[in-house]
């Protein structure tokens, strides 16, 4: 399945919504497209290459963004227990998390793109059907969150959009370093 096929299918299957929800989904779809577009015409080997001083590769970025979006949707649905306590993570937990940023042996670009498409469909369905974007949940324990802070579903969705956009920019730099291809320009 190609990036263009995923984009076309995702748009055709997107839930029909209006207003704020439509705007959130439109912005998220735009940044998802740019992230996926950076992987066009790549082999699995190319998708797993580190082309900058960073630990990041294109396949790993897709995996990470899919995992992050999945975890945040689980947070909206189930609260902080869905994400765990980051302050209690062991070295083995952090190593597993680091694998999220790499295309591991046996993983394929097609596979991580398909997983990302499924995560996107789930998120889009949630945005379309969630009764209240104002519903809040306490954030999980993590060194980067203020103790006792809460986020609304809306804020979580804005965070997903921001993270997707940020990583689409990372992906564009990695792709340009790989073979000179750019997402824009």
């Amino acid at each position: 399945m190609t990036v263009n096929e995923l984009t076309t299918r995702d748009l055709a299957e997107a839930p029909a919504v209006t207003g704020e929800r439509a705007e959130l989904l439109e912005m998220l779809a735009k940044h998802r497209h740019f992230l996926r577009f950076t992987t066009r015409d790549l082999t699995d080997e190319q998708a797993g290459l580190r082309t900058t001083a960073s630990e990041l590769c294109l396949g790993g970025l897709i995996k990470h963004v899919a995992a992050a979006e999945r975890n945040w949707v689980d947070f909206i649905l189930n609260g902080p227990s869905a994400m765990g306590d980051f302050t209690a993570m062991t070295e083995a937990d952090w190593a597993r998390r680091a694998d999220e940023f790499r295309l591991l042996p046996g993983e394929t670009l097609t596979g991580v793109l398909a997983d990302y498409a499924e995560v996107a469909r789930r998120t889009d369905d949630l945005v379309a059907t969630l009764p209240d974007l104002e519903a809040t949940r306490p954030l999980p324990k993590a060194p980067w969150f203020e103790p006792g802070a809460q986020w609304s579903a809306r804020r979580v969705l804005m965070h997903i959009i921001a993270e997707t956009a940020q990583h689409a920019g990372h992906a564009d730099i990695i792709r340009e370093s790989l073979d000179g291809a750019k997402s824009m320009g």
Side-chain angles (χ1 to χ4, degrees), residues 1-14 26 28-40 62 113-114 116-118 120-121 124:
M1 184 175 305
T2 67
V3 171
N4 288 336
E5 288 169 351
L6 282 173
T7 302
T8 301
R9 190 178 73 207
D10 289 348
L11 291 175
E13 294 179 5
E26 182 181 339
L28 185 53
K30 173 186 172 184
H31 293 301
R32 285 177 182 148
H33 166 76
F34 282 121
L35 177 59
R36 288 187 303 245
F37 189 66
T38 62
T39 67
R40 68 197 177 281
I62 299 288
L113 286 169
Y116 187 35
E118 182 57 37
R121 278 190 291 280
D124 292 353

Side-chain angles (χ1 to χ4, degrees), residues 48-89:
L49 290 176
R50 290 178 44 211
T51 62
T52 66
S54 167
E55 293 284 329
L56 302 174
C57 68
L58 292 170
L61 274 174
I62 299 288
K63 276 178 55 178
H64 167 68
V65 172
E69 187 170 321
R70 181 184 299 112
N71 289 338
W72 280 112
V73 166
D74 288 344
F75 169 82
I76 290 171
L77 294 170
N78 303 308
S81 64
M83 297 179 93
D85 179 349
F86 291 96
T87 64
M89 287 179 64

Side-chain angles (χ1 to χ4, degrees), residues 38-169:
T38 62
T39 67
R40 68 197 177 281
D41 305 321
L42 292 181
T43 65
D44 294 337
E45 181 182 355
Q46 290 170 311
L49 290 176
R50 290 178 44 211
T51 62
T52 66
S54 167
E55 293 284 329
L56 302 174
C57 68
L58 292 170
L61 274 174
I62 299 288
K63 276 178 55 178
H64 167 68
V65 172
E69 187 170 321
R70 181 184 299 112
N71 289 338
W72 280 112
V73 166
D74 288 344
F75 169 82
I76 290 171
L77 294 170
N78 303 308
S81 64
M83 297 179 93
D85 179 349
F86 291 96
T87 64
M89 287 179 64
T90 66
E91 285 187 38
D93 294 329
W94 286 111
R96 278 190 297 279
R97 184 170 164 86
D99 283 346
E100 188 178 281
F101 292 90
R102 296 187 262 286
L103 199 58
L104 300 174
E107 293 178 330
T108 65
L109 180 57
T110 299
V112 296
L113 286 169
D115 180 57
Y116 187 35
E118 182 57 37
V119 168
R121 278 190 291 280
R122 179 177 177 233
T123 301
D124 292 353
D125 288 344
L126 177 68
V127 172
T129 60
L130 193 65
D132 183 7
L133 294 178
E134 290 292 325
T136 62
R137 301 270 194 182
L139 290 171
K141 288 184 182 178
W144 48 87
F145 292 135
E146 181 181 332
Q150 296 191 10
W151 280 9
S152 67
R154 176 182 292 104
R155 183 157 179 191
V156 170
L157 294 169
M158 291 188 302
H159 178 76
I160 291 169
I161 292 166
E163 183 156 332
T164 304
Q166 178 182 13
H167 288 311

